[in-house]
Structure formats: structure tokens, C-alpha cells
Amino acid sequence: KSKEAEIKRINKELANIRSKFKGDKALDGYSKKKYVCKLLFIFLLGHDIDFGHMEAVNLLSSNKYTEKQIGYLFISVLVNSNSELIRLINNAIKNDLASRNPTFMCLALHCIANVGSREMGEAFAADIPRILVAGDSMDSVKQSAALCLLRLYKASPDLVPMGEWTARVVHLLNDQHMGVVTAAVSLITCLCKKNPDDFKTCISLAVSRLSRIVSSASTDLQDYTYYFVPAPWLSVKLLRLLQSYPPPEDAAVKGRLVECLETVLNKAQEPPKSKKVQHSNAKNAILFETISLIIHYDSEPNLLVRACNQLGQFLQHRETNLRYLALESMCTLASSEFSHEAVKTHIDTVINALKTERDVSVRQRAADLLYAMCDRSNAKQIVSEMLRYLETADYAIREEIVLKVAILAEKYAVDYSWYVDTILNLIRIAGDYVSEEVWYRVLQIVTNRDDVQGYAAKTVFEALQAPACHENMVKVGGYILGEFGNLIAGDPRSSPPVQFSLLHSKFHLCSVATRALLLSTYIKFINLFPETKATIQGVLRAGSQLRNADVELQQRAVEYLTLSSVASTDVLATVLEEMPPFPERESSILAKLKRKKGPGAASALDDGRRDPSSNDINGGVEPTPSTVSTPSPSADLLGLRAAPPPAAPPASAGAGNLLVDVFDGPAAQPSLGPTPEEAFLSELEPPAPESPMALLADPVPAAEPGADWHPGHPAPLPLPPRFVCKNNGVLFENQLLQIGVKSEFRQNLGRMYLFYGNKTSVQFQNFSPTVVHPGDLQTHILSGLGQPPTKRVAAQVDGGAQVQQVLNIECLRDFLTPPLLSVRFRYGGAPQALTLKLPVTINKFFQPTEMAAQDFFQRWKQLSLPQQEAQKIFKANHPMDAEVTKAKLLGFGSALLDNVDPNPENFVGAGIIQTKALQVGCLLRLEPNAQAQMYRLTLRTSKEPVSRHLCELLAQQF
Amino acid sequence: MQFMLLFSRQGKLRLQKWYVPLSDKEKKKITRELVQTVLARKPKMCSFLEWRDLKIVYKRYASLYFCCAIEDQDNELITLEIIHRYVELLDKYFGSVCELDIIFNFEKAYFILDEFLLGGEVQETSKKNVLKAIEQADLLQEKTETMYHSKSFIGYKKAY
């Protein structure tokens, strides 16, 4: 009874069967069948079966029907393309297909249809059409052949040859046998998608078939009548087939079809012939398919309106299934210009459904329909109903409703104060479900429309007075007051100090990102309201800001404090100028909703997070002082990064430079210099075709390595020495994240696969790995994310999941330090950042060169200038094993030359380092001294820094 | 149709038929997920639900749930009647079918399904024709095999 007992019992049985199969005594067909059947039973109980396939295949060639049948069943259920077996199986199938015994032929066809693998397609795709249209094939064989071919076509369309048989397949629509027609329609529906013209004749045949069924009395079709409905499955399939084509061109055919459709609509009004649910389901299945066809044609206003009325009746039907389907079907009707108004008349019923349906999937359909039927005339009603629903909506669909409300409010806004109210209500009711896109959008709209700015400032100010308000409200409020707080400052109830203390009262409850945004608001206040300067400077100067553990907050506090004290009012006014209008473009909320609906919603890239240099303008995690100046309008507020950004206006670039000047002055912050420049350059430069993220050219020559490093990045971790001689392995690992690497190099090119594994059970957010070339490394080596862009890493990494990134690398000239990999993400709300050296060292571009002893010594002598040689004598860190040493030298990349050095203990190697600009010939010699546990390593190359660098790299290895 | 699953109220899978190529691991994952989802639904709820990018149509008959996954453009109501017709076929063949019939004669349940649906499409809707095909096959069985199940086989199954 218990789980263990079951497993024990099964293992015993499996052992028994195994011994029977392995035994010396040959089993007779009957026992073989018995045991194969038992295995199948055990498999279906959910246990793994790894033997018995051979015995099952043997059964296929039995001439006893039941043995064959069980053999086929086992194969259909259990076979995965085990190539050797497939050949044997195919043989048996071939025999059965050729047997002319219809029962055996059907078994074989069923098996092909059930397995449907490519191997089977290769073996049989050419034969089956022949069987299908052969004059002497039995009806049942034709049926199986049609659907078997369909399955093979779906699996591998290239294997099914089109030919003269296709015309004859179409004529199966006229077949006497309803079962043959039923099977053939499915095949034709699928085939005609690819070759509509070849199958065009099916339209008139399908219409006449349909018309005969629809007009037949309920008893005419005998066993094909189902609960008084004539041939419901065939009717639905015929209607589906017709949806593959536009309305028939032939007027007679069209007339006949419209007649059919009307008949179906009329029948829906007739009293039911049976109380059974099967009767009404079959009848309504045809009705819904008819409506689908009417919507597909979208050309018969009369039929569209009738369809809508019919669905309207279903909206109040007592069957939940019908209400669900009616809501769903009406959604598509709402988008037709002919029926949109008719759909709108049902608004009250739909709103009622949203409020009273007990099944969440039905409520979801109602919300979808409200969204679809919304236009300027009813937007206010629908939005307010959806807002009300949001308060009690299921958590699973809240985010979608929020997006929908946000879109409708924007799309149908008559006055923008209503829009602002709506979005603020959204935040109030369901703040947790309001995504960045939504509140970014409201900021964008407020910034672009000066008629609503004063109202927005007043409204957020009031909203912020609520004792508990959502953090998203603080963000929106902080941003809007920072921009437009002056518009309400005249009222003593919302004077500058009041505004400031209201915002600051929320400060301590907020996350780092929000606090960073508020700091920007404060510096903007200093410009807007000089009277608040002293207070705000006091806040910035407080130890909790200046020495904040969070580097972002600390940096903002330091910079803003310095900016406010050293800059003149003019400079301040320029830097902290009001944001310029954003360019108009499609709302990214819409894109988000589309993505949510798509199948790949979970893994869809969040565009806004793709490019770390441009997304954080409002989120405020990126240490770009340009946040407070005027970010170029191309700054990617909404994250639509697809279009190349328009050139930033000179004014803002100027502001960036200005800022640098300010900070280069008394406050001397060496790390600040390049950042704004970099940010702007990244905006200005269209992505290079080779490497879309191709790394920012760094305009400022680095005084020392790392000096130009972003202050927000941690110092890079050293490269584990083993990666000098190895291309694959685990590059980094801590409790959260594992980074694996796999790379290959050829000549001066390389490709690297990085694997990021989330070791936790929590999703990483804003996951963004980027490659950085500090200093002028970029002129030496280029590495960029590979094309196509789909290879980019998703912005979210689910718990336990692994994502992959491809890096293309090109070595332009010799280089000394590897490019860096910077990884940032949020884990449980806390930002994480780490920087690693990529395992790309100059020796990766080694091409081994074989040469004879004579050549070697000749070249060795040629490289005799003192600066061409680098030598190191060092102690062995690892046991001195000749084989290991050999492997390491080969991994390092050079060729190992035997019989060159007179001392057989020594190692001699040669190779050429391939870069785009030049080739560097390298010779090396390693002399182990086992007694002293020391090595002497000598490198000679045609380029001095290369000799030294290779010598250092290689010396770490032993 | 992409697949059909039959499972008991206790969540035990009784029959599975896949019309699209999937790995065993995926099949198990899908099964687990769907069994959970469907069993959690209340009796009066609607028989359709959206799941991933598919539509699930399910219906309960006594202790068994019949659950089909169809594609976006497929017809839900006719799928519901596919389920019903299959139940009718089983019923007619076994004579008022119960869960145990499907457990102990699972191969028959599969054979009947193959005659009715092939490659995920309806092949033959006539009850008479489907059962005729199955009965013909049964007639081909050797007389000695009419008592197909050996004692030990039945005994073994009864252990569960």
C-alpha cells in the first residue's frame, strides 16, 4: 500500500521480467507479450523502464494480432529515437504496410502517427500519400493514412513531397464515407496553410459539404449524428478549413456559404431538441466556429451584428462555459468596425460579470472584453470599474489589470488631470503591481504637457500627505515636485519648506533607489527654492548621508553637497534646469502587455534593463551626475532602446563637461571625471554592427589602471591562474551566483560562452553583465556581445536557472590586461555588483609552430637583443611532474618541440601570437631543476612587452 | 490537440497520450502541474482554462478527470464532446466503464483512443465504426487467449 511497498513490489517484478528475458529458454510469443505488457503497465504507473524494447520489437513481426498489437503499443508509448531500434521497427512497419491486410496496415499507420519522429518520416513520408489516394485502399486505412501523414507533415514538413496526389486528396472531401472526410479535412487544413493556391478547390467542395450537413435533418446522417446534431466534428472542421481562406470569390459559392452561416444562426434560436448538455455543446460548438468564420471574413455587417446579439444572449446563460466563451468571442468582435458598437451595448452585463462571476478565469475574460470594447465614449466608466475591481482582484491578474488601466487612461484621456488621477489611484490601490514602465510613463506625460504640471504637483502633494503611502507614490511625488514644485509654492500650505519636510518625512522608510531619487529632488529644490538651501545642505552633510554604506547614496550626497556649495547660481540653474520634453513614441506599457500575453513572457527581455548605461536615469542607481543636469532626451526613460538614439543636444553635453569642471576643482574627485562623458558617449555612438554593446571608447587616458573605473564597481577580482592554460571552467562562485566559462580561440579571434547560474531560489532582477575595457584596452582587444541580439542575457534570472551569454573577441594588437566583466543584479531588492577579469590573455591567440632544431636555434639567435628576452628563475609551487608540465605548456598554446634541447629534461616551445595588426613570434625554454625544486624560464619574442608578459603569465603556472 | 491525460481524483495518472514530441521530463512536469491545477478547481467552475499558451479543456466523470490541451484556434466545446464521445466508447466497450477497467485493460483504452483520435485529430466519430474496428481486432485473438490475463498478472495488479 505504501509508496515503498509499491516500489519494492515493482522492483521485484522488474527483476523477474529481466531474468525471463535474459534466460536461456526462448520465450514463446505469448509470454513475451505478457511480460512486455507488464512492463508497459509499470511504465504507465510512472516508473522508468530501460529494457524490453528488443522483445517488443520482436512482437511486431508476430503474425498473431494481439502480440503485434501489444508490440506496437509498447513502441508507441515508450520509444524515443533509439536509432538502432528504429531501423528494426521500421522494417516491421514496412512489412505490415505492404501486407494488404487492412487491420495490420492500420496498426502500422497508428504507430507511425504516434511516434511521428523524423526517422519515421524519412522512411515512410513518400509511401503514405500513395496509400491515402490508392483506389483500392479500405476506408479505415485512408482515414489513418490521412492523419498519419498530417502528423509527419507537422513534425517535418520538408519530408512530405507535394505532387499530383494533392489534387486527389482535395477530392476526398466528396468521399461517400463521412469518416474519410473527417480525417481528410484535418490534413487539408494543415497543408493548405503553406500552399493555399494548390488547395484552392477545397473551398467550393467544403462549402457544398457543409451546406449538405447543415440542411440535413437530424436523423439523415445516422451514426454521424450526435445528440440530434448532424456531424458536429466534421462541421467544425469544415468551418475551420474555410478560415484559412478569404471569402469565396465565386458569387454562387459565397451565396451558398452565407446561407449556411445564417442557417446556423437561425438554429441557435430554435428550441433545443434535447435537454442533454451534449446536444447544446455540439450545437454551440458549430455556432462558435461559425461566428469565428464571420469574424474572420469581417465583411458582412449583418452577420456580425447577429453574431454579437447571439453572444449577448450567452452572456447571461446559466452555463459557465457558455458565458466564458461568449466573453472570449466578443473580444474579437469588438475589434471589428461593424460590430464594435453592438458589443458596446453589453457593457453593463460585462461589468456585472466582472463583479459577480465566481470563477477567476471568467472574470479575466470579462476584464479582457472591457479592455477591448473601451473607446473615448466609455473610457471613464470602464476605467473606474476596473479600478474598483482591482481592489478585490486576484493577485495573479492584478499586474495585467494595472497595465490595462494605464493604457486605457492614456489612450482615451480627454483631459490629462483625469489621467494623472487615474495613475495615482492605481498606485494607491495596487502600488505593488505598478511596474516601472507605468510610473515612468506618467512622469513623461507630465513633463511633456505643461497644462497638467501644476495639477500634477498639487495632486501628488496631497497624495503624499496620506499617513501611509506606497513607495511608488514617493518616487512619482519626489520627481514631480523636484521638477514642478515651484508651481504650487505660492500657496502657504505647500510652501517650499513644507514640500521639503513632507518628502523628507518619507525618506527613511524608502529603499536605496528611492532615496537616491529623493536626493536628486533635494538638489533640484536648492535651485528652485534658494531658501531651502541651508536645510538641504544640512541634510546632505549629515553623517548618515556622507558616510552612507551605500556607495550610490554616499556619492550623490557628496556630489550634490559640493555642487551646491561651489557652483554659482547661474551654473546651478543650468545644471539643474527643468527636464526637456521627451520624444513621443509608442508607450512601452503596451509592449509590456503584449509580452505578458506572449508565450515567452517569463523570459522576455525587459528592454528597459538592457542597457545599464541608459536605464537608470530615474531609478537612480547608476552613478551618473548627469542625472541632475539635463539628461539628453535620448536618455532611455521608457527603455525603448531599439531605435538609434538621436544625437544629444550640445547643451546637455556642455552641461556634462561643466560638471566635470566643477568637480575637477576644489573637491578633486578623481573618479568622477569620465563618468558623464562616458554616459553621453554611449548615447551618442550608434552601436557598432559587430558588437552591439561595443564598449565605450574611453576619452580620458587613464593615469593608472583602474583610475577610470566607475566608482560604483567593485575592484576586479584577480583571474584564477589556471585560466591561463585552460579555456573552460568555473570562473567565479559564491553563495548566489556561479559563472562558468567555455571558450575557443582561432588565430586572432575568439568566442566565449559565459554561463550565469542562479544558485538561489529567488529571481535575480535587473541582471546585467557587461564587458568593460579599462584604459585604452579597446584599441588592443575588442570583445562584444555576439549577434544576434537574442543571445543577450535576460534581465531576470529565475531561481535555479542558468542563462548564457556569448562574447565575440577580436585581438587587435598585443595587450597586457584582460578585459573586465562587470555583473550587476538585484537579489531580494539588494543591489549586487562584482567585477571579474575575463580569462582572455595574450597567449590565447597563440598559434603553435613546429620547427626543426636547426631552425629553432637560428631564430633563437636572431632574437638576441636584451629587450627581446625575458627570463625568470623561480621556485616550483607544484610537484615537478614532466607530464603535467607538458600539458600546461600545450594549454598555454605554444608547440612543444622534441629533440631540440640537448638536455631531454628541458622543454622547448615555439608559436606565433596572432593579432589583427601584427604577428609576434615567440620561442620559449623551460629548464626544471628537480634537485633545487626550481625552474628557469626564458622567453624570446620580437616584442619586448610580450616577452615579459608571457614570462610572467607562464611562471605562475608551475 | 496536443495531448490528453486521464487521472484520478487522487492525482494518479491513468492514461496519457501525447501528440507532440516532448521529453519524458517535460511530460512529467506538465502532468504534475496540470493535475494540480485541475484538481484545485471547484465543481461549478468553467471547463476551460488558459495554461501557458494552450487552452485546457477538462471534464470529470465519476472518479476520473479527462483533460485535453488544445491550441489557441481550436474549439473548446467540440473538445468537450470529444471527451464525452471517448467516454461513451469506453462505456459501450466495457459495459458501464469504471476506473478499474481502464487500469486493468489499459491497452484497450489506448486502442480505442487510437481508433477515435489519431495524431491529435478526430479520425472517426461514428461509435459503430470505432467499436467495429476494435471488435474485429478482438475476434482475431486466438481462442486460448480470451482469458488473456494470467492469474499472476491480475494478482500482481491487485496489489495496488
Side-chain angles (χ1 to χ4, degrees):
Chain A
K1 286 286 165 200
S2 70
K3 193 84 191 163
E4 293 92 63
E6 178 180 321
I7 289 171
K8 218 171 138 195
R9 179 76 182 83
I10 280 171
N11 284 339
K12 198 173 145 206
E13 191 63 34
L14 283 175
N16 176 34
I17 299 173
R18 208 186 290 263
S19 73
K20 290 278 193 239
F21 283 165
K22 282 219 176 116
D24 312 326
K25 206 162 47 129
L27 291 173
D28 60 3
Y30 171 77
S31 342
K32 225 181 258 176
K33 187 194 77 180
K34 186 175 81 182
Y35 292 123
V36 167
C37 199
K38 281 190 183 188
L39 282 181
L40 199 50
F41 182 78
I42 292 171
F43 174 79
L44 293 170
L45 281 178
H47 303 267
D48 291 332
I49 297 294
D50 54 1
F51 67 102
H53 299 74
M54 205 55 218
E55 285 72 15
V57 174
N58 285 340
L59 287 178
L60 294 185
S61 41
S62 163
N63 49 12
K64 289 188 183 150
Y65 180 75
T66 45
E67 289 172 16
K68 201 188 262 299
Q69 202 181 19
I70 292 294
Y72 271 125
L73 181 60
F74 186 92
I75 301 296
S76 313
V77 174
L78 258 148
V79 153
N80 28 28
S81 16
N82 180 331
S83 56
E84 265 173 55
L85 275 179
I86 286 277
R87 214 157 24 84
L88 292 172
I89 296 166
N90 283 355
N91 243 339
I93 292 178
K94 202 152 243 166
N95 291 336
D96 281 335
L97 282 183
S99 70
R100 312 191 72 75
N101 174 338
T103 326
F104 285 8
M105 287 172 87
C106 281
L107 269 186
L109 289 168
H110 290 179
C111 180
I112 302 174
N114 282 329
V115 177
S117 66
R118 191 161 176 92
E119 288 89 343
M120 290 212 169
E122 279 162 357
F124 303 112
D127 296 341
I128 296 169
R130 209 173 25 74
I131 298 174
L132 173 59
V133 297
D136 57 349
S137 288
M138 298 275 292
D139 290 329
S140 60
V141 174
K142 282 188 194 167
Q143 287 170 274
S144 299
L147 294 176
C148 181
L149 190 58
L150 170 61
R151 174 75 196 263
L152 289 182
Y153 181 80
K154 277 187 186 164
S156 6
D158 55 306
L159 291 179
V160 178
M162 294 296 147
E164 59 90 38
W165 62 272
T166 49
R168 297 172 64 183
V169 166
V170 174
H171 281 276
L172 289 179
L173 290 178
N174 265 338
D175 202 283
Q176 294 273 308
H177 191 283
M178 292 280 273
V180 173
V181 187
T182 306
V185 186
S186 293
L187 177 63
I188 296 168
T189 306
C190 181
L191 292 177
C192 78
K193 294 252 156 59
K194 264 249 176 76
N195 325 280
D197 287 339
D198 295 357
F199 290 90
K200 228 174 172 173
T201 43
C202 74
I203 303 176
S204 62
L205 291 177
V207 169
S208 64
R209 191 90 212 191
L210 182 68
S211 145
R212 266 180 285 160
I213 298 172
V214 167
S215 55
S216 64
S218 50
T219 49
D220 288 358
L221 299 176
Q222 296 160 352
D223 210 32
Y224 288 92
T225 296
Y226 179 82
Y227 291 86
F228 304 102
V229 181
W233 285 281
L234 182 52
S235 308
V236 167
K237 282 188 183 190
L238 288 167
L239 288 161
R240 268 290 297 287
L241 172 60
L242 290 170
Q243 287 172 59
S244 310
Y245 288 94
E249 287 153 16
D250 183 324
V253 177
K254 187 169 181 191
R256 204 161 172 203
L257 178 56
V258 169
E259 220 171 89
C260 283
L261 302 179
E262 280 173 341
T263 312
V264 175
L265 288 172
N266 291 339
K267 277 192 178 173
Q269 299 300 325
E270 288 171 13
K273 294 196 173 69
S274 155
K275 286 248 180 315
K276 287 249 164 64
V277 69
Q278 283 75 27
H279 171 73
S280 93
N281 278 351
K283 194 170 149 188
N284 291 327
I286 301 174
L287 177 62
F288 276 106
E289 208 58 54
T290 301
I291 292 174
S292 293
L293 183 62
I294 293 172
I295 296 170
H296 168 75
Y297 287 160
D298 197 15
S299 60
E300 302 283 326
N302 174 35
L303 289 178
L304 281 162
V305 171
R306 282 193 66 184
C308 184
N309 293 340
Q310 183 59 55
L311 293 177
Q313 290 181 20
F314 285 154
L315 286 182
Q316 318 213 36
H317 202 280
R318 64 188 165 79
E319 276 277 327
T320 315
N321 288 346
L322 284 180
R323 294 197 303 274
Y324 176 96
L325 294 174
L327 289 165
E328 184 182 63
S329 187
M330 258 200 188
C331 263
T332 39
L333 267 181
S335 57
S336 163
E337 52 169 321
F338 301 115
S339 46
H340 184 79
E341 287 304 316
V343 172
K344 273 167 64 185
T345 58
H346 299 287
I347 185 166
D348 294 327
T349 319
V350 182
I351 287 173
N352 193 41
L354 189 63
K355 287 179 178 160
T356 57
E357 282 290 351
R358 277 188 294 177
D359 185 345
V360 54
S361 32
V362 185
R363 289 197 296 273
Q364 171 117 43
R365 290 286 85 83
D368 285 350
L369 179 53
L370 282 180
Y371 177 75
M373 69 162 70
C374 189
D375 62 17
R376 214 170 276 281
S377 72
N378 55 20
K380 282 202 173 169
Q381 185 187 7
I382 287 179
V383 164
S384 78
E385 289 297 344
M386 283 171 97
L387 273 175
R388 191 169 311 153
Y389 173 55
L390 196 53
E391 297 186 35
T392 55
D394 311 74
Y395 296 114
I397 62 173
R398 279 194 187 184
E399 186 179 358
E400 197 182 319
I401 303 246
V402 166
L403 288 174
K404 285 183 165 160
V405 169
I407 291 167
L408 293 179
E410 179 185 338
K411 197 165 166 195
Y412 299 117
V414 188
D415 59 302
Y416 278 86
S417 51
W418 173 71
Y419 169 74
V420 170
D421 286 341
T422 305
I423 301 294
L424 294 185
N425 269 329
L426 272 183
I427 296 176
R428 200 174 296 139
I429 295 169
D432 286 344
Y433 299 88
V434 173
S435 59
E436 285 177 348
E437 285 86 349
V438 172
W439 67 262
Y440 284 2
R441 188 71 181 164
V442 71
L443 295 181
Q444 196 184 33
I445 284 175
V446 169
T447 308
N448 286 8
R449 316 201 127 255
D450 40 21
D451 51 335
V452 75
Q453 288 161 358
Y455 180 79
K458 181 168 154 283
T459 321
V460 290
F461 179 78
E462 281 160 10
L464 285 172
Q465 281 171 326
C469 62
H470 195 271
E471 186 159 338
N472 279 336
M473 189 70 87
V474 180
K475 288 179 179 163
V476 173
Y479 190 97
I480 289 183
L481 291 181
E483 293 292 319
F484 312 112
N486 54 329
L487 300 177
I488 55 168
D491 188 325
R493 283 167 301 175
S494 54
S495 68
V498 178
Q499 284 185 40
F500 173 74
S501 57
L502 179 61
L503 281 177
H504 200 54
S505 68
K506 316 281 183 197
F507 187 89
H508 304 278
L509 304 170
C510 290
S511 69
V512 167
T514 307
R515 276 190 272 163
L517 185 147
L518 285 178
L519 288 180
S520 297
T521 301
Y522 297 169
I523 186 75
K524 289 220 152 196
F525 270 13
I526 291 186
N527 178 46
L528 286 181
F529 316 122
E531 66 266 39
T532 59
K533 183 169 170 177
T535 325
I536 289 174
Q537 280 183 333
V539 169
L540 293 175
R541 201 176 286 122
S544 58
Q545 309 304 342
L546 276 190
R547 278 190 294 281
N548 196 296
D550 185 273
V551 68
E552 175 62 34
L553 291 180
Q554 186 185 37
Q555 189 185 351
R556 285 196 187 208
V558 172
E559 286 172 9
Y560 294 165
L561 184 59
T562 317
L563 177 65
S564 68
S565 33
V566 302
S568 69
T569 355
D570 287 353
V571 172
L572 216 52
T574 316
V575 174
L576 301 172
E577 196 179 7
E578 186 182 306
M579 295 282 273
F582 294 87
E584 288 294 343
R585 44 183 152 183
E586 193 208 3
S587 160
S588 69
I589 308 177
L590 213 55
K592 173 151 180 163
L593 185 68
K594 282 178 204 150
R595 276 203 305 276
K596 249 186 97 66
K597 283 296 197 178
S603 63
L605 275 180
D606 194 346
D607 301 61
R609 294 176 183 143
R610 213 179 264 171
D611 187 341
S613 68
S614 64
N615 91 60
D616 285 319
I617 299 299
N618 278 288
V621 227
E622 193 71 7
T624 48
S626 57
T627 317
V628 277
S629 73
T630 44
S632 67
S634 65
D636 214 0
L637 185 67
L638 282 176
L640 291 180
R641 186 86 181 120
S652 43
N657 284 329
L658 199 64
L659 212 62
V660 178
D661 291 344
V662 170
F663 286 117
D664 276 353
Q669 298 269 339
S671 60
L672 287 174
T675 12
E677 297 257 3
E678 252 179 26
F680 282 120
L681 279 166
S682 72
E683 293 286 345
L684 286 168
E685 268 189 327
E690 258 309 308
S691 41
M693 293 189 76
L695 304 134
L696 329 168
D698 193 334
V700 182
E704 52 181 286
D708 57 337
W709 195 237
H710 284 253
H713 292 270
L717 300 169
L719 180 65
R722 63 176 184 282
F723 278 103
V724 171
C725 295
K726 269 178 66 178
N727 287 334
N728 307 328
V730 175
L731 187 58
F732 171 81
E733 183 155 14
N734 65 8
Q735 288 94 335
L736 307 178
L737 178 70
Q738 185 192 58
I739 305 179
V741 66
K742 243 179 148 166
S743 51
E744 47 192 355
F745 295 88
R746 268 201 22 223
Q747 306 209 326
N748 71 322
L749 300 177
R751 172 163 296 176
M752 181 172 287
Y753 298 86
L754 292 162
F755 302 88
Y756 304 94
N758 180 344
K759 290 172 67 182
T760 71
S761 54
V762 181
Q763 194 187 54
F764 290 163
Q765 278 157 341
N766 300 18
F767 189 82
S768 86
T770 46
V771 177
V772 188
H773 298 114
D776 58 351
L777 186 56
Q778 182 159 30
T779 57
H780 295 249
I781 182 162
L782 260 181
S783 35
L785 300 184
Q787 299 274 41
T790 47
K791 291 279 187 237
R792 289 179 182 177
V793 173
Q796 279 87 30
V797 183
D798 287 330
Q802 188 186 59
V803 297
Q804 185 186 340
Q805 188 182 33
V806 187
L807 224 57
N808 288 325
I809 299 163
E810 186 181 7
C811 179
L812 303 175
R813 20 180 326 121
D814 53 298
F815 63 96
L816 302 181
T817 51
L820 302 175
L821 175 71
S822 155
V823 183
R824 293 161 156 268
F825 57 95
R826 297 184 79 84
Y827 166 70
Q832 307 281 337
L834 68 107
T835 304
L836 306 166
K837 291 194 169 166
L838 282 172
V840 182
T841 44
I842 183 74
N843 62 297
K844 301 289 182 195
F845 305 96
F846 243 127
Q847 201 177 15
T849 322
E850 294 289 347
M851 56 179 78
Q854 200 187 339
D855 293 335
F856 181 86
F857 285 116
Q858 195 189 342
R859 279 163 216 236
W860 186 265
K861 280 192 200 112
Q862 280 168 2
L863 298 169
S864 55
L865 293 174
Q867 64 267 34
Q868 287 175 330
E869 185 186 271
Q871 192 170 71
K872 224 173 172 170
I873 298 170
F874 54 93
K875 226 176 156 46
N877 282 321
H878 301 280
M880 295 176 81
D881 181 327
E883 283 315 307
V884 175
T885 308
K886 228 180 230 174
K888 281 182 177 168
L889 284 170
L890 287 172
F892 191 65
S894 66
L896 269 185
L897 306 178
D898 291 324
N899 305 323
V900 171
D901 201 281
N903 180 351
E905 300 293 320
N906 292 350
F907 299 91
V908 169
I912 298 170
I913 288 182
Q914 303 274 355
T915 76
K916 197 178 176 199
L918 72 168
Q919 301 189 334
V920 185
C922 309
L923 301 174
L924 72 87
R925 185 184 195 201
L926 180 70
E927 300 159 88
N929 180 339
Q931 242 177 343
Q933 290 286 304
M934 300 280 280
Y935 287 100
R936 179 163 71 181
L937 174 66
T938 316
L939 256 298
R940 285 192 179 186
T941 78
S942 47
K943 247 189 140 217
E944 174 210 359
V946 175
S947 300
R948 259 192 294 127
H949 185 52
L950 284 178
C951 190
E952 272 160 22
L953 282 176
L954 193 52
Q956 305 165 7
Q957 301 299 317
F958 300 103
Chain B
M1 187 185 296
Q2 298 219 340
F3 56 84
M4 183 192 250
L5 303 176
L6 260 69
F7 49 87
S8 69
R9 224 161 26 146
Q10 290 77 33
K12 276 250 179 214
L13 192 59
R14 294 305 179 199
L15 182 142
Q16 46 176 326
K17 192 80 188 176
W18 304 86
Y19 297 112
V20 284
L22 291 168
S23 71
D24 285 350
K25 215 176 124 190
E26 281 171 292
K27 288 180 187 173
K28 280 193 175 155
K29 186 168 172 242
I30 290 173
T31 308
R32 216 174 30 241
E33 216 174 287
L34 268 184
V35 167
Q36 249 179 19
T37 314
V38 170
L39 288 180
R41 291 177 62 86
K42 297 192 190 74
K44 283 279 171 183
M45 284 185 163
C46 97
S47 312
F48 319 124
L49 54 120
E50 282 184 331
W51 180 80
R52 301 197 185 171
D53 51 344
L54 296 175
K55 298 192 285 197
I56 302 298
V57 177
Y58 71 93
K59 190 160 180 183
R60 182 178 157 183
Y61 289 86
S63 61
L64 269 187
Y65 283 86
F66 291 68
C67 175
C68 296
I70 56 175
E71 279 150 77
D72 188 45
Q73 68 278 19
D74 288 336
N75 190 307
E76 290 98 335
L77 284 175
I78 208 72
T79 309
L80 213 46
E81 293 319 297
I82 286 178
I83 293 176
H84 187 75
R85 175 50 43 117
Y86 182 46
V87 174
E88 284 185 351
L89 287 167
L90 294 172
D91 202 59
K92 187 95 185 236
Y93 181 79
F94 289 111
S96 110
V97 67
C98 66
E99 193 181 340
L100 286 179
D101 290 320
I102 294 173
I103 299 174
F104 294 149
N105 298 292
F106 67 93
E107 77 283 5
K108 295 290 179 208
Y110 277 95
F111 296 146
I112 295 173
L113 187 57
D114 272 352
E115 292 292 336
F116 176 42
L117 292 178
L118 193 62
E121 297 284 339
V122 174
Q123 172 172 227
E124 177 56 82
T125 64
S126 155
K127 224 186 326 191
K128 254 189 234 156
N129 288 351
V130 171
L131 292 175
K132 206 165 69 193
I134 297 289
E135 276 153 18
Q136 260 174 3
D138 286 349
L139 279 180
L140 282 171
Q141 283 187 198
E142 292 80 350
K143 259 189 185 164
T144 46
E145 287 204 25
T146 43
M147 284 304 295
Y148 158 92
H149 299 292
S150 76
K151 248 185 181 165
S152 73
F153 199 18
I154 289 174
Y156 159 60
K157 281 173 176 171
K158 288 258 166 79
Y160 305 97

